[in-house]
Amino acid sequence: GHITAETLMSILRDKASGICVDAEGFRTAGSMVSVLPRDPALPCVHFFTATPDPSRSVFKPFVFVAGIKPAPQVRSPTFLQDPAKQIPRFQSSVDRRHELYRRHQAALEL
């Protein structure tokens, strides 16, 4: 038969098979499905959850082309006083989670 992107997303969301894990302190970090068309004139489309636990995540489409601007909701924040760039390094910590990840975590707590 034909395997579609939706079929693969369903497989990656399947907890009963053990592919999607959310137990014993371990969680699937994220999932990706790529559609690679045979026609070279068509763009490849990559679907990422960009958040943990694919069973509760939305697969978001990304097309990588020149000049594209990333969505601010999936960019990790930057810091003027970044502990990774100060000497001595990592004397403090900052929340590097992007907005989409933080909102996903808040939804999981509900």
Side-chain angles (χ1 to χ4, degrees), residues 35-37 39-45 63 65:
V35 177
L36 310 173
D39 182 348
L42 297 174
C44 297
V45 180
V63 177
V65 295

Side-chain angles (χ1 to χ4, degrees), residues 48-96:
F48 298 92
T49 59
T51 52
D53 195 352
S55 71
R56 301 185 212 182
S57 298
V58 175
F59 281 84
K60 292 153 284 295
F62 289 84
V63 177
F64 298 98
V65 295
I68 195 165
K69 293 183 180 181
Q73 296 84 355
V74 295
R75 277 187 108 164
S76 293
T78 56
F79 303 92
L80 292 174
Q81 301 296 319
D82 192 332
K85 296 178 182 173
Q86 294 179 340
I87 298 179
R89 295 179 65 199
F90 300 109
Q91 298 301 301
S92 62
S93 63
V94 292
D95 187 356
R96 296 185 188 278

Side-chain angles (χ1 to χ4, degrees), residues 8-9 12-13 31-33 47-49 54 57-61:
L8 291 171
M9 291 173 196
L12 291 171
R13 288 184 168 124
S31 293
M32 177 183 115
V33 172
F47 295 88
F48 298 92
T49 59
S57 298
V58 175
F59 281 84
K60 292 153 284 295

Side-chain angles (χ1 to χ4, degrees), residues 27 56 102-110:
R27 180 179 292 154
R56 301 185 212 182
R102 286 195 315 265
R103 289 183 180 197
H104 186 271
Q105 290 302 102
L108 285 175
E109 292 175 12
L110 298 176

